[in-house]
Amino acid sequence: MTVQVTTPPNRVDRRKQRTRSALLRAARRLLAEDRTNVSIQEITDAADVGFGSFYNHFESKDELFEAAVTQTLQAYVDLRDAVVAGYDDPAEIFTVSFRMTGRLQQQHPELVRVLLNTGPRILVHDAGLAPRARKDIAAAKEAGRFDVDNVDLALMAAGGAMLGLLQLLESQPEADAAALTDLMTFSVLRMFGMTKREAAKLCSRPLPPQPEL
């Protein structure tokens, strides 16, 4: 039996990781502020790292911002997967995911602003919301829980509804995010062929506690 020994990162590796993390944090802040038309110097200043260190990690601004979007979507996925871990019904998994996402507006505003400022492109991104939602919709259709003709169109309809909801909550910070989210979730479930009674039942169930990012 061969035992693999993992060498802990040395000081140089740790410094590189800190620099990369600082660049990604700065990129997320800039994305959240909708400020992507900036120079690399402005990015490294925001990250408090040397200008030359940028190219040790990324070839361009576009690569950095794309990495920041992917990292944000992965954070969302980790959060979402933890919340729905105890559910089996794909329709309920979709419902809980949708209700959870609308509530992120007040709990994790930077994450939501990155999603909003990235725009509809997140609905076709390989990471994050879209793959999980598509899988849930397809499984709910297969189980006879959703009545949809085309899973991809259903995904776009649900994703558009979610982005619209998040934009509304962004423009009305005083609004009752939970109530509006549940109302939008109810509307999407009805659009997917669910009865009023069943949609209302799913939208009224208590949500599991949301873990920290």
Side-chain angles (χ1 to χ4, degrees), residues 8-174:
N10 58 35
R11 184 167 20 179
V12 173
D13 291 335
R14 291 195 297 271
R15 185 168 64 247
K16 286 180 178 178
Q17 185 57 50
R18 286 195 296 270
T19 299
R20 180 181 176 84
S21 297
L23 287 167
L24 285 167
R25 284 195 301 272
R28 286 198 306 273
R29 288 196 300 271
L30 291 167
L31 282 165
E33 296 167 4
D34 200 18
R35 292 175 54 216
T36 55
N37 188 25
V38 294
S39 67
I40 290 176
Q41 183 68 65
E42 289 174 287
I43 294 171
T44 55
D45 286 348
D48 195 24
V49 300
F51 178 87
S53 65
F54 179 93
Y55 292 101
N56 293 329
H57 300 276
F58 302 99
E59 293 184 359
S60 65
K61 289 190 305 178
D62 289 343
E63 184 181 340
L64 168 63
F65 283 126
E66 182 61 24
V69 169
T70 300
Q71 187 184 66
T72 302
L73 290 173
Q74 186 58 53
Y76 167 86
V77 163
D78 293 343
L79 188 64
R80 178 264 186 199
D81 288 354
V83 169
V84 303
Y87 297 91
D88 297 317
D89 173 17
E92 186 158 22
I93 291 172
F94 174 87
T95 301
V96 171
S97 298
F98 203 101
R99 295 175 68 203
M100 177 209 82
T101 304
R103 286 162 168 79
L104 292 177
Q105 185 74 31
Q106 295 179 344
Q107 297 160 344
H108 304 291
E110 182 180 89
L111 184 152
V112 169
R113 286 171 190 143
V114 171
L115 300 182
L116 284 174
N117 291 331
T118 303
R121 185 168 65 87
I122 65 170
L123 302 181
V124 293
H125 201 285
D126 291 338
L129 295 80
R132 294 299 198 281
R134 191 188 190 286
K135 179 182 177 182
D136 296 339
I137 293 169
K141 177 184 178 181
E142 182 68 22
R145 300 283 278 143
F146 287 168
D147 181 12
V148 297
D149 294 324
N150 185 290
V151 171
D152 290 324
L153 286 177
L155 170 62
M156 292 301 109
M162 176 53 68
L163 287 175
L165 170 66
L166 293 176
Q167 189 62 68
L168 175 65
L169 296 174
E170 177 71 12
S171 64
Q172 298 180 9
E174 75 287 353

